[in-house]
Amino acid sequence: MSSTTSLESMKEQMVPENEVEQVRLLNGVEDSYEGIIVEIKEHMDSRNFVPILRASISQWKQQGKKGVWIKLPIEFSNLVNPVVQEGFRYHHAEPEYLMLVRWLPNSPDTLPANASHRVGIGAFIVNNKREVLVIQENSGGFKGTGVWKLPTGVVNEGEDICEAAIREVKEETGIEAEFIEILAFRQSHHAFFGKSDLFFVCMLQPHSFNIRKQDSEVEAAQWMPIEDYLNQPYNKEHQLFQYVAEICKTKSEGDYVGFPAIPIATASNKKIYLYFNNRDFNRL
Amino acid sequence: MSSTTSLESMKEQMVPENEVEQVRLLNGVEDSYEGIIVEIKEHMDSRNFVPILRASISQWKQQGKKGVWIKLPIEFSNLVNPVVQEGFRYHHAEPEYLMLVRWLPNSPDTLPANASHRVGIGAFIVNNKREVLVIQENSGGFKGTGVWKLPTGVVNEGEDICEAAIREVKEETGIEAEFIEILAFRQSHHAFFGKSDLFFVCMLQPHSFNIRKQDSEVEAAQWMPIEDYLNQPYNKEHQLFQYVAEICKTKSEGDYVGFPAIPIATASNKKIYLYFNNRDFNRL
């Protein structure tokens, strides 16, 4: 797409002649909502790019297209401003690219929203002495507070909640464990750059017991009698923490049932887990 | 920040004299992870901006700052390319702004990830004749398939799952309903521009019964005998749909217990719900 082109050559396209270079158009892939997705793959000077974009938009309008998506890898950031000047807005960004979008019809925009939530886990693990695995953090809001808390972490994009819980416990404390079930989850808002947040309290079964703590994030780690964990003043003063601690204690004592992770077969061989109360489900 | 400035004037800042204009620096707010957050609020020409950014980075390095965040409203998209050229990468974007970030130390980057998940709901609602509220969609993958499905929708940023379920049912079918509990949820990946997806199956209790369907998204809506819903060939052929339909049927027949939404008091008056099995919790 590096050839010289212009709005003039576009007009001339209407009466093509051999000596007139025709304007190039952007190659797009159609989506299932009458939209078009364009990924820029070559460097272009913005002076060359703008007439091509304008001609493409003109064609897509004639074709009755609705949403036009332009994926701009970060190495082509010189084109961000020209695309915005042509009426596009930001949709989302990842480290390596920016996605811009423009709704062509006059009707109200039905474009899908950006990802809205971050997802985190906390891991409740008890040994056979009714001691719970707890840590103190060396950064963030709990730094220096002396509060012993469950190991926690962020679920990565593409990672299952049940896998994230196992990974975080291993990373922070060195303990090998098996996922049992989700005991509870909470949703909160405006947690991080305006995004919402889902946090899943997971029950795990330990398969090893010798703690090797991660130095970069963890100040201290230990097995703590469950009553001592529960009775920390911080937990007493914060209703959310008190509920979570009480639910964990209830689980450790009796037959509280949460949602285990049931793997589901899909036609596309995607890995999907369904989390539900399979004790009640199987009993009936 | 519109005054002319340059790298030269920055060097001259070391030996300030009255006649030498000192370079301006960007104003940032410190975060709790030794980082700095800058929000650009005025138009600047990139030739003026780059020396100011370079001088600011130099100062932040001296101060031992780690992550530097630059929030660029879309009206200042002329600065995206210059900021990228100074070593920043994209972090996330919303319609009205782009957030860029650069990690200053030589140590590995511990910057938080972007929002990773979209969240959706499906609503299971039964009337007193054991009929379930179902719809056919007029766009997307189910268009034209004849499959009767639960009303579904996307949970907005800042919206509670329990509220989203009530809102979507009202929008799509006109039915007024009350949230009872989460029956199950599934996590899947690579669902939408590479993002992961959480989908919560919610049980609702209807408070009205006359359907007024939304024309823009809904082809048809009706109350359908629960056995007919369950026995649709599509549900039989797709394990995920079969599980969900069976869980809904189990719930309608007996004492399957899911996770109701329990409001939690917080110091900051934020609205938080904790979802858990409160029957087992209260019984013990």
Side-chain angles (χ1 to χ4, degrees), chain A residues 32-34 37 69 72-82 84-85 88-100 112-119 139-141 143 154-162 182-196 198-201 238-240 243-244 246-247 250-251 253-259 262-267 270-281 283-284, chain B residues 32-34 37 69 72-82 84-85 88-100 112-119 139-141 143 154-162 182-196 198-201 238-240 243-244 246-247 250-251 253-259 262-267 270-281 283-284:
Chain A
S32 49
Y33 297 88
E34 300 168 78
I37 306 171
W69 302 85
L72 270 184
I74 194 165
E75 58 267 35
F76 310 135
S77 60
N78 63 307
L79 299 181
V80 174
N81 195 38
V84 170
Q85 297 309 321
F88 285 71
R89 65 164 174 85
Y90 303 143
H91 185 271
H92 67 274
E94 294 298 324
E96 70 281 3
Y97 76 90
L98 175 62
M99 184 71 83
L100 297 107
N114 190 0
S116 54
H117 283 66
R118 290 216 308 166
V119 179
S139 67
K143 178 179 177 177
V154 173
V155 178
N156 295 326
E157 203 167 279
E159 186 178 38
D160 284 299
I161 294 165
C162 51
I182 307 283
L183 298 180
F185 65 90
R186 73 109 181 83
Q187 186 186 18
S188 65
H189 305 294
H190 310 295
F192 168 77
F193 294 127
K195 294 290 172 182
S196 296
L198 279 162
F199 180 84
F200 292 86
V201 181
H238 294 82
Q239 194 180 18
L240 180 65
Y243 260 114
V244 168
E246 291 282 358
I247 291 166
T250 304
K251 176 72 193 178
E253 288 171 349
D255 62 351
Y256 178 95
V257 172
F259 287 178
I262 310 300
I264 299 291
T266 66
K270 267 190 183 179
K271 182 181 57 178
I272 288 186
Y273 285 102
L274 186 65
Y275 297 80
F276 62 97
N277 178 345
N278 74 336
R279 184 190 62 174
D280 283 359
F281 183 72
R283 194 178 54 196
L284 293 165
Chain B
S32 48
Y33 296 88
E34 299 169 78
I37 305 170
W69 303 84
L72 269 184
I74 193 164
E75 58 267 35
F76 310 134
S77 61
N78 64 307
L79 298 181
V80 174
N81 194 39
V84 169
Q85 298 308 320
F88 284 72
R89 66 165 173 84
Y90 302 144
H91 185 272
H92 67 275
E94 294 298 325
E96 68 284 1
Y97 77 89
L98 174 62
M99 184 71 84
L100 297 107
N114 190 0
S116 53
H117 284 64
R118 290 216 308 164
V119 179
S139 67
K143 180 181 175 176
V154 173
V155 178
N156 296 324
E157 204 167 279
E159 185 179 38
D160 284 299
I161 293 164
C162 51
I182 305 282
L183 298 180
F185 66 90
R186 73 110 181 81
Q187 187 186 20
S188 65
H189 306 295
H190 310 295
F192 168 76
F193 294 126
K195 293 291 171 181
S196 296
L198 279 162
F199 181 84
F200 293 85
V201 182
H238 294 83
Q239 194 179 20
L240 180 64
Y243 260 114
V244 169
E246 291 282 358
I247 291 166
T250 305
K251 177 71 194 178
E253 288 172 349
D255 62 351
Y256 178 94
V257 172
F259 287 178
I262 310 300
I264 299 291
T266 66
K270 267 190 183 179
K271 181 182 56 179
I272 287 185
Y273 284 103
L274 186 65
Y275 296 80
F276 63 97
N277 178 344
N278 74 336
R279 185 191 62 174
D280 283 1
F281 183 71
R283 193 177 56 197
L284 295 165

Side-chain angles (χ1 to χ4, degrees), chain A residues 226-241:
Chain A
I226 198 163
E227 300 295 338
D228 293 354
Y229 163 65
L230 201 72
N231 289 327
Q232 292 181 97
Y234 187 89
N235 286 345
K236 296 282 178 195
E237 290 156 14
H238 294 82
Q239 194 180 18
L240 180 65
F241 284 77

Side-chain angles (χ1 to χ4, degrees), chain A residues 129-144:
Chain A
K129 290 183 253 174
R130 296 202 70 243
E131 291 168 331
V132 54
L133 181 64
V134 289
I135 66 161
Q136 289 182 340
E137 291 177 351
N138 61 18
S139 67
F142 282 100
K143 178 179 177 177

Side-chain angles (χ1 to χ4, degrees), chain A residues 49-237:
Chain A
F49 176 74
V50 168
I52 297 173
L53 177 58
R54 287 182 182 164
S56 303
I57 290 171
S58 174
Q59 194 194 49
W60 294 323
K61 279 185 174 172
Q62 282 173 24
Q63 293 169 344
K65 295 293 177 215
K66 292 181 173 175
V68 176
W69 302 85
I70 296 186
K71 182 175 179 174
L72 270 184
I74 194 165
E75 58 267 35
F76 310 135
S77 60
N78 63 307
L79 299 181
V80 174
N81 195 38
V83 172
V84 170
Q85 297 309 321
E86 295 304 316
F88 285 71
R89 65 164 174 85
Y90 303 143
H91 185 271
H92 67 274
E94 294 298 324
E96 70 281 3
Y97 76 90
L98 175 62
M99 184 71 83
L100 297 107
V101 70
R102 180 175 160 186
W103 182 251
L104 295 183
N106 291 322
S107 59
D109 139 17
T110 60
L111 297 166
N114 190 0
S116 54
H117 283 66
R118 290 216 308 166
V119 179
I121 57 88
F124 174 63
I125 308 190
V126 187
N127 66 16
N128 52 15
K129 290 183 253 174
R130 296 202 70 243
E131 291 168 331
V132 54
L133 181 64
V134 289
I135 66 161
Q136 289 182 340
E137 291 177 351
N138 61 18
S139 67
F142 282 100
K143 178 179 177 177
T145 60
V147 174
W148 291 98
K149 54 189 286 298
L150 303 180
T152 58
V154 173
V155 178
N156 295 326
E157 203 167 279
E159 186 178 38
D160 284 299
I161 294 165
C162 51
E163 288 176 354
I166 293 168
R167 175 183 56 73
E168 285 286 350
V169 167
K170 174 77 177 163
E171 281 177 12
E172 293 192 352
T173 68
I175 298 295
E176 308 264 1
E178 175 190 348
F179 179 85
I180 304 298
E181 63 183 21
I182 307 283
L183 298 180
F185 65 90
R186 73 109 181 83
Q187 186 186 18
S188 65
H189 305 294
H190 310 295
F192 168 77
F193 294 127
K195 294 290 172 182
S196 296
D197 191 277
L198 279 162
F199 180 84
F200 292 86
V201 181
C202 303
M203 169 87 174
L204 277 70
Q205 178 84 38
H207 288 185
S208 75
F209 302 91
N210 289 325
I211 292 170
R212 283 173 288 104
K213 83 172 180 75
Q214 181 194 52
D215 292 332
S216 62
E217 294 175 28
V218 180
E219 184 65 31
Q222 67 166 333
W223 293 101
M224 178 183 246
I226 198 163
E227 300 295 338
D228 293 354
Y229 163 65
L230 201 72
N231 289 327
Q232 292 181 97
Y234 187 89
N235 286 345
K236 296 282 178 195
E237 290 156 14

